[in-house]
Amino acid sequence: MVLHISSAVVLASIFLTIVYFIVQRAYPRPLPSIPYNRDAAKKLMGDLAELGERQENGESMRPWFLEQAQRHKSAITQIFLGPFSKPAVLISDYREVNDILSHRDAVDFKRGKKVDVFSGVLPHAHPAMETFDPRFKSSRDLVRDLMVPSFLNKVNAPHTYVVSRNLVELWRLKARIAKGRPFEASEDIVEFSFDSILSAAMGLGREGGDVQRQLTILSRMALVEHNEWDCALLDKPIVIPTAGRSVKLAALVVDEESLWKGFYMPWPRLYHRLNKLRPSVRNAGRTLRGYIESQITRAAPSLSEGSPPQSALEHVIQREIKAAAKAGRTPNLQDPRICDEIYGYLIAGHDTSTGSLTWLMRRLLSHAEEQAKIRRNLHETYSVARREKRLPTVEELTSKRAHYLDAFIEEVLRFNSPVVTIMVTTRRDTLVLGHPVPGDTQVFLNLTGPSLNMPSVHVDEMARSETARTYKPARQSWDGLDPGVFRPERWLAADDNGNVFFNASSGPTLAFSAGNRGCWGKRLGYLELRIVLSLLIWSFDFHLPEKLVSWEMYDSLVTAPKQCLICVTEVH
């Protein structure tokens, strides 16, 4: 009996010891010499406890990442993201982030978790591949020419212009219905961004796009109903009926959600396998892939006969047809890379465009004086259109740039980058700002914050890498130039004759990331924003009662305002 009790005690002791060591292993184990939150190191959930509180309060989590450098007075900090997780490193310094992205990618760093996340939705597209992956170059070469200025101006710009005019007409109708009251424009921006990227990618089809559909349906309703809508309270938002999202847009949003949730999962590939068991996810994939395949089938015959491409997809098809003819083989239009690259083109172009345009509208409303400056600059730049009392044409918008509009866009993106933080992984043991960081460590890189729209944190020059010291930028921060002040003029310069021009090199910016793996669609993004803002500001004056202005944000693939209430007055 005594022996039996003793055995039980021994077994219990062994079990409790094992449990104790497992629990201890679950707690954060800080890297030496890198600052961190002391309270978080004592919690099983680490920094996720503080982040979770923000989420429960309906706040965006991502600004927390921008606060850590000032909290610890260090451009490098470490954070703890849950039980059993290795410490992650957070960098808040323009020069170091730019160096890692531009000079140390595929050497000391890799995409890491990004590959796992994107592979679940776009396994054959270049975002799902490491730079050193043998497949990467050939996959990106398929879409290599889609971002050259000649293609953008000839093919993409006309599509974006048509969709932008649709948005102008939709807001003109809503302004007449609202009669001075604010209305929610967030969904209109979501639909505009989708129409713009879809039309550029492969055309809108017979439906004409989501914005056009909203305009058509609302026009019919407005003829009958708008006189009955209560417009008495000018500071109370009016709810204007909508037609709902198209099947294609709804499908794209499902896949965008799958992607951003994948970044929060410890095992993204397992998450995607389980997530694809959901009928909504399976249907979303079938919807968009089915549409891409139908457009390939439709376009192939005319392209084989030499017709010029009218979309990104048609350009890729034509490239494959020419390559096949040169090699003496049959074109492989079922190559999964074609479908996935165009699919990725849609996802990447939609969410970032939506976030950017929403932030631009928020800044237009909070800085009313900027609207007058931009409109005056537009009238000076496109004086013929002003004299003829019409909108500038797409040819005018692409042949000549309005410098103040460019400066305003750049300043908004400096202040409110829709992508706040990105993540890479160390490929091997390496040094970051003089601190040893083990291989396979997640490294978060802030694309805004200290040195960009906040004062920088001091970094010892000798702590920087050899490449960072070699490729030192002319201006490495906005220190001394009021980084926390919204001032588009910081992006303007004058030539020897006093002519003012937009200077993208005035100072640091990372809104579109940097290096070989920076935002591939950067030029398309700028083009779209210039066209739509030119037409909107030319046509309308935007305002909003101060009590309705909200800076609350949501997190998805991007970080953007939760709402976009606007009051619209036509400019005559």
Side-chain angles (χ1 to χ4, degrees), residues 411 414-415 452-455 478 481-486 490:
E411 183 71 347
R414 181 185 74 88
F415 245 90
L452 290 157
N453 65 6
M454 301 176 185
W478 288 103
L481 295 173
D482 299 320
V485 175
F486 185 84
R490 73 176 71 241

Side-chain angles (χ1 to χ4, degrees), residues 94 120 130 219 319 338 376 389 427 437 455 465 481 557:
Y94 165 74
E130 296 286 1
S219 297
R319 184 182 179 88
I338 295 177
R376 184 163 55 248
K389 299 180 180 180
R427 194 177 178 191
V437 177
S465 69
L481 295 173
L557 282 176

Side-chain angles (χ1 to χ4, degrees), residues 223-255:
L223 290 173
V224 179
E225 300 177 13
H226 84 273
N227 289 326
E228 303 173 9
W229 292 339
D230 179 19
C231 296
L233 302 175
L234 291 181
D235 61 349
K236 182 180 179 181
I238 184 173
V239 179
I240 299 177
T242 65
R245 294 172 174 174
S246 66
V247 174
K248 291 193 287 290
L249 173 54
L252 185 68
V253 170
V254 169
D255 278 335

Side-chain angles (χ1 to χ4, degrees), residues 99-144:
D99 178 53
I100 288 171
L101 295 173
S102 301
H103 306 294
R104 300 176 69 184
D105 173 52
V107 180
D108 297 320
F109 296 88
K110 59 183 180 180
R111 289 172 67 79
K113 192 173 184 178
K114 285 183 184 177
V115 170
D116 294 337
V117 172
F118 279 96
S119 293
V121 179
L122 307 165
H124 304 286
H126 73 267
M129 301 171 190
E130 296 286 1
T131 307
F132 49 82
D133 188 325
R135 303 171 300 159
F136 171 71
K137 185 178 183 302
S138 62
S139 292
R140 196 160 76 166
D141 279 351
L142 280 174
V143 292
R144 182 183 59 202

Side-chain angles (χ1 to χ4, degrees), residues 89-374:
V89 171
L90 174 63
I91 305 298
S92 305
D93 176 80
Y94 165 74
R95 268 184 74 188
E96 189 66 16
V97 171
N98 186 66
D99 178 53
I100 288 171
L101 295 173
S102 301
H103 306 294
R104 300 176 69 184
D105 173 52
V107 180
D108 297 320
F109 296 88
K110 59 183 180 180
R111 289 172 67 79
K113 192 173 184 178
K114 285 183 184 177
V115 170
D116 294 337
V117 172
F118 279 96
S119 293
V121 179
L122 307 165
H124 304 286
H126 73 267
M129 301 171 190
E130 296 286 1
T131 307
F132 49 82
D133 188 325
R135 303 171 300 159
F136 171 71
K137 185 178 183 302
S138 62
S139 292
R140 196 160 76 166
D141 279 351
L142 280 174
V143 292
R144 182 183 59 202
D145 300 329
L146 298 183
M147 294 299 147
V148 299
S150 57
F151 185 84
L152 290 172
N153 291 337
K154 183 178 179 180
V155 177
N156 293 69
H159 290 302
T160 297
Y161 185 82
V162 169
V163 176
S164 299
R165 291 200 63 163
N166 288 344
L167 183 62
V168 168
E169 292 306 314
L170 178 63
W171 283 3
R172 179 172 284 126
L173 176 58
K174 288 191 173 185
R176 292 170 183 168
I177 293 170
K179 296 181 179 178
R181 285 175 61 182
F183 60 87
E184 181 58 60
S186 295
E187 187 64 15
D188 297 337
I189 292 174
V190 169
E191 293 180 348
F192 161 79
S193 298
F194 178 64
D195 284 355
S196 181
I197 195 65
L198 182 65
S199 62
M202 49 189 154
L204 294 175
R206 290 175 296 178
E207 301 90 348
D210 280 58
V211 175
Q212 179 61 54
R213 190 166 58 91
Q214 295 285 358
L215 178 60
T216 301
I217 293 174
L218 189 58
S219 297
R220 294 171 185 161
M221 296 174 65
L223 290 173
V224 179
E225 300 177 13
H226 84 273
N227 289 326
E228 303 173 9
W229 292 339
D230 179 19
C231 296
L233 302 175
L234 291 181
D235 61 349
K236 182 180 179 181
I238 184 173
V239 179
I240 299 177
T242 65
R245 294 172 174 174
S246 66
V247 174
K248 291 193 287 290
L249 173 54
L252 185 68
V253 170
V254 169
D255 278 335
E256 288 172 347
E257 181 182 356
S258 295
L259 276 177
W260 74 259
K261 285 186 175 179
F263 282 102
Y264 291 89
M265 300 296 169
W267 303 288
R269 291 181 186 269
L270 176 60
Y271 158 73
H272 281 305
R273 289 194 188 99
L274 297 176
N275 191 44
K276 287 178 180 178
L277 298 176
R278 296 168 53 204
S280 61
V281 175
R282 292 200 306 271
N283 290 338
R286 282 196 293 262
T287 296
L288 286 174
R289 291 183 187 280
Y291 185 65
I292 295 172
E293 290 166 3
S294 71
Q295 295 303 102
I296 292 174
T297 302
R298 179 196 60 79
S302 61
L303 292 170
S304 298
E305 295 172 1
S307 296
Q310 300 299 318
S311 68
L313 176 61
E314 291 187 6
H315 179 83
V316 174
I317 294 171
Q318 187 183 71
R319 184 182 179 88
E320 168 60 16
I321 290 172
K322 289 181 177 179
K326 186 176 180 179
R329 59 175 175 81
T330 302
N332 181 14
L333 300 183
Q334 284 72 47
D335 186 340
R337 296 178 303 167
I338 295 177
C339 187
D340 275 14
E341 288 292 347
I342 297 301
Y343 209 157
Y345 183 95
L346 288 175
I347 292 175
H350 176 247
D351 223 34
T352 51
S353 171
T354 298
S356 298
L357 186 52
T358 306
W359 277 121
L360 285 159
M361 294 304 302
R362 165 58 61 238
R363 286 290 174 180
L364 281 175
L365 291 166
S366 60
H367 298 276
E369 72 283 358
E370 297 298 333
Q371 294 184 54
K373 294 179 183 178
I374 297 170

Side-chain angles (χ1 to χ4, degrees), residues 360-566:
L360 285 159
M361 294 304 302
R362 165 58 61 238
R363 286 290 174 180
L364 281 175
L365 291 166
S366 60
H367 298 276
E369 72 283 358
E370 297 298 333
Q371 294 184 54
K373 294 179 183 178
I374 297 170
R375 190 176 296 112
R376 184 163 55 248
N377 181 224
L378 289 171
H379 289 168
E380 293 169 353
T381 305
Y382 310 112
S383 56
V384 175
R386 170 68 170 164
R387 189 165 56 250
E388 295 177 357
K389 299 180 180 180
R390 59 170 175 80
L391 289 172
T393 64
V394 65
E395 291 79 15
E396 289 171 323
L397 291 174
T398 54
S399 63
K400 197 173 183 182
R401 302 267 288 270
H403 61 262
Y404 199 85
L405 175 62
D406 284 348
F408 176 78
I409 292 173
E410 200 68 47
E411 183 71 347
V412 173
L413 294 177
R414 181 185 74 88
F415 245 90
N416 305 113
S417 173
V419 180
V420 175
T421 305
I422 62 173
M423 180 175 59
V424 295
T425 302
T426 50
R427 194 177 178 191
R428 60 187 182 186
D429 293 355
T430 189
L431 289 175
V432 181
L433 290 178
H435 296 273
V437 177
D440 204 33
T441 297
Q442 290 183 357
V443 179
F444 290 84
L445 308 174
N446 281 333
L447 301 185
T448 184
S451 72
L452 290 157
N453 65 6
M454 301 176 185
S456 63
V457 177
H458 174 71
V459 174
D460 183 353
E461 185 68 15
M462 294 311 298
R464 296 192 183 277
S465 69
E466 182 180 348
T467 50
R469 296 195 301 270
T470 301
Y471 300 100
K472 185 177 180 179
R475 179 176 292 283
Q476 56 187 318
S477 75
W478 288 103
D479 292 354
L481 295 173
D482 299 320
V485 175
F486 185 84
R487 186 184 298 142
E489 287 84 356
R490 73 176 71 241
W491 297 100
L492 299 178
D495 62 20
D496 294 339
N497 297 319
N499 298 311
V500 178
F501 63 94
F502 168 67
N503 181 15
S505 301
S506 294
T509 180
L510 287 168
F512 289 91
S513 189
N516 188 39
R517 301 308 295 267
C519 180
W520 173 73
K522 175 180 177 178
R523 288 176 175 171
L524 176 59
Y526 276 123
L527 176 69
E528 180 182 298
L529 294 175
R530 285 200 304 270
I531 290 175
V532 67
L533 283 175
S534 293
L535 298 190
L536 289 174
I537 297 172
W538 189 285
S539 304
F540 304 118
D541 184 66
F542 298 97
H543 52 98
L544 189 67
E546 184 64 30
K547 66 179 181 179
L548 296 179
V549 174
S550 171
W551 293 91
E552 291 186 353
M553 297 174 285
Y554 71 86
D555 294 326
S556 62
L557 282 176
V558 298
T559 298
K562 285 184 177 180
Q563 62 176 222
C564 187
L565 285 171
I566 59 173

